[in-house]
Amino acid sequence: MLSIKRPFTDEDRAILNSYKAVVEGVSALLGSHCEILLHSLEDLDNTAVYIANGHNTNRQAGTTLSEADLQSLQAMENGMVLKPYFTRHKGNNGLMKSTSIAIRNGKRQIIGLLCINLNLEVPVSQFIQAFIPTQDYPITTAGNFASSVEELVLQTVETTIEEITADRLVANNNKNRQIVTTLFEKGIFDIKDAINLVAERLNISRHTVYLYIRQIKQDDQK
């Protein structure tokens, strides 16, 4: 039997609040046909504290747990690992594939649920559209799926060198500085030993790389 009798702490609320970014991120990734709800168990009469794409089930923030959510919570409290499950929305009988993820605090107590409901009734063309690059979501760059930090740095350096070398607007005598500038903007120099790797690849001294970085920072401050 579900029973939440203890008061939530500020830490509990902060943990739950941090999941709002997860709701937004999953929604942006999977598209408008995917409903994501963040439930807080502090008040069982008002659990849904944040929701994205609620139009799929006509739910809004301020609603409570569904029967499926309640069953999921009971299973997780008993230590079971949940697998995705299928449900039909009561309002329109629409088929949905769902999963629920327990949100726990530092004491491993369940304080909330992240529920993801994928609407399987949308037209296939609309479903696929969410995964096709558009003007709003273009292909920006090749992904670097490196197996180590050093490999990540080297891949990023090589990609950047290719970009700057192909850019005819960058003068040849300024390409190294532009490469360092672009790498700085990508955050590469936050990684330990990245300066050494970049200097070696560009065949310039570490001091030159440091000089470029100082100049970048000075320009940013102006």
Side-chain angles (χ1 to χ4, degrees):
M1 187 72 178
L2 178 63
S3 177
I4 306 295
K5 296 182 178 179
R6 62 177 182 80
F8 272 31
T9 65
D10 290 341
E11 181 182 4
D12 292 336
R13 297 186 188 97
I15 291 172
L16 287 166
N17 190 59
S18 71
Y19 275 81
K20 291 182 179 180
V22 178
V23 172
E24 294 292 343
V26 174
S27 171
L29 177 66
L30 297 181
S32 62
H33 56 275
C34 183
E35 177 188 78
I36 309 99
L37 291 99
L38 174 60
H39 288 287
S40 167
L41 301 183
E42 184 171 17
D43 178 2
L44 295 184
D45 291 324
N46 182 19
T47 61
V49 294
Y50 203 63
I51 184 170
N53 302 324
H55 59 270
N56 288 281
T57 60
N58 296 320
R59 282 189 286 186
Q60 300 176 350
T63 58
T64 190
L65 296 168
S66 68
E67 182 179 351
D69 296 332
L70 187 60
Q71 291 175 351
S72 298
L73 180 58
Q74 288 292 151
M76 285 183 281
E77 283 196 329
N78 294 331
M80 295 176 59
V81 177
L82 288 182
K83 296 180 180 180
Y85 52 91
F86 292 90
T87 58
R88 284 197 178 276
H89 177 51
K90 188 175 181 180
N92 56 19
N93 204 36
L95 183 64
M96 309 195 83
K97 185 175 184 180
S98 306
T99 189
S100 297
I101 303 166
I103 302 172
R104 300 177 185 268
N105 61 14
K107 296 180 180 180
R108 302 299 299 161
Q109 297 167 320
I110 298 178
I111 58 175
L113 288 176
L114 184 67
C115 299
I116 303 173
N117 304 306
L118 195 61
N119 188 349
L120 301 181
E121 299 293 334
V122 297
V124 174
S125 59
Q126 182 181 337
F127 185 92
I128 296 298
Q129 190 62 40
F131 303 96
I132 297 176
T134 64
Q135 185 175 355
D136 293 332
Y137 299 99
I139 299 175
T140 56
T141 184
N144 289 329
F145 300 102
S147 58
S148 68
V149 173
E150 181 176 353
E151 185 178 345
L152 171 63
V153 174
L154 292 175
Q155 286 183 359
T156 305
V157 171
E158 293 301 327
T159 300
T160 304
I161 290 175
E162 292 177 6
E163 293 173 358
I164 303 304
T165 300
D167 190 345
R168 296 182 180 180
L169 297 178
V170 180
N172 289 333
N173 61 359
N174 195 42
K175 287 192 181 296
N176 281 346
R177 188 185 191 285
Q178 185 58 52
I179 290 169
V180 172
T181 299
T182 303
L183 290 171
F184 179 85
E185 293 171 348
K186 292 179 178 180
I188 283 298
F189 296 114
D190 292 332
I191 299 175
K192 184 180 178 181
D193 294 330
I195 287 178
N196 294 335
L197 292 170
V198 171
E200 182 178 349
R201 177 60 183 85
L202 296 179
N203 196 27
I204 58 179
S205 70
R206 293 170 60 253
H207 297 294
T208 300
V209 177
Y210 277 118
L211 174 62
Y212 289 154
I213 292 174
R214 282 199 301 270
Q215 292 173 343
I216 296 167
K217 292 179 177 179
Q218 288 172 356
D219 290 342
D220 289 341
Q221 293 173 355
K222 292 180 180 179

